Amino acid sequence: MGIIERIDAPKSKNAPRTKTGHVKVGALQKGKAGATKKVTKLPLNSILKMDCVEAMASLPDESVDMIFADPPYNLQLGGDLYRPEGGQVDAVDDEWDHFDSFAAYDAFTNAWLKEARRILKPNGSLWVIGSYHNIFRVGASLQDLGYWILNDIIWRKANPMPNFKGTRFTNAHETLIWASKSEKAKYTFNYRAMKNLNDELQMRSDWVMPICGGQERLKRNGVKAHPTQKPEALLYRVMLATTNPGDVVLDPFFGTGTTGAVAKRLGRDWIGCEKEDSYCEVAEERIEAALPLDESSLKTMQSPKQKPRVAFGTLVETGYLKVGAELCSKNRKFKAKVRADGSLVWEGQEGSIHKIGATVQDAPSCNGWTYWYYKDGKDLKVIDNLRQTYLLATEP
Ligand SMILES: C[S@@+](CC[C@H](N)C(=O)[O-])C[C@H]1O[C@@H](n2cnc3c(N)ncnc32)[C@H](O)[C@@H]1O
């Protein structure tokens, strides 16, 4: 992978290097009129360090399978915000989030959505995440441009930031719009994978997930590397639901590269556009490195009655259990493999932890949580332990 910049001259021997030591690949060149020339080969698994409209303009028509966009929110913050005890609230007040007016924001939204539509394959799909500040404007623009809305997903934050002033409801969700290019498009939806991920229940349009924190939250010199880093679990579900391995996923507002990191984990190709130098470097480092898990916030154990529901797929989605891991029965007689959608496969049969647990025992039913074990060094541990670990680490 590498970072690609818009340049006036072809790459030289002394091409500049990023802080991580990677050559900055100068692949996108200015044409005569100053516009970026179109490339014939997609710059896969690269960050295009430039304005996303310009970056997308350099890519061929109908060349990407999915676009995930987390655009500026246009928060319009008026002054600093303080907690009751006096500390300053870490809000999004960066230059990239400033627009002079709603009209300016709409013009920007229209420009990137238009380019996104041109480079999207006919059966590709678009995801946009936003808050009440921008999502309604984005929704209207994309409908006006001919996109067809398939769902709006509510990401309910398990641990939202409080409303410090106590003047409004706690703002505890963001909205994701999922849209195809047209009403007739044959978009990808991996229905079965979603059902498996959700313990055999249809996946609903309200997703409860914690905001990005702990070890996953990237820091530079002890401070957050980016104010709006999204959790990998969110992207995992989006990609697992609406793309297939080998698909090309483009993110016009790459930030810390959450989309790229998850795409890499799931065997999808990715392209990121990001105009800020420091974010490009954070993203590049992140995608190259493996992410450690956050087990640091383990506190107390919960009784089974208090346990909120956790789907087995959530453990896979959040990396607590690796895709391809082997589970076995306590006596090690039966061994099954974990797949990306949280299903198990055993001797050619596939299904949930409960279904395959019942199948191997020739029993009418089975509680997969207590039947299956995973290897922890030389020991075997029941997968229910992982559910506990997850619950404790994500406790609000
Ligand atoms: C909401 S953040 C995305 C955060 C990202 N999803 C993550 O998980 O880290 C929006 C990002 O878009 C970048 N950005 C804003 N306007 C842009 C533009 N016109 N072209 C490219 N990047 C832009 C900002 O620098 C910022 O990093």
Side-chain angles (χ1 to χ4, degrees), residues 120-137:
L120 201 54
K121 290 181 185 172
N123 294 327
S125 65
L126 169 86
W127 285 84
V128 190
I129 182 168
S131 61
Y132 68 87
H133 308 85
N134 66 334
I135 201 67
F136 302 109
R137 310 194 80 81

Side-chain angles (χ1 to χ4, degrees), residues 50-52 70-73 96 108 226 228-230 251-258 273-276 279:
M50 63 190 86
D51 172 74
C52 65
D70 180 10
Y73 294 83
W96 56 259
F108 165 72
H226 196 290
T228 68
Q229 183 186 337
K230 296 296 175 295
D251 185 335
F253 305 100
F254 207 49
T256 56
T258 311
C273 315
E274 173 55 60
K275 56 182 191 178
E276 303 285 332
Y279 298 156

Side-chain angles (χ1 to χ4, degrees), residues 193-209:
M194 286 298 101
K195 199 166 170 184
N196 287 337
L197 199 64
N198 197 32
D199 274 359
E200 289 296 308
L201 291 174
Q202 269 196 352
M203 184 67 83
R204 297 159 41 128
S205 62
D206 47 348
W207 301 354
V208 183
M209 291 180 186

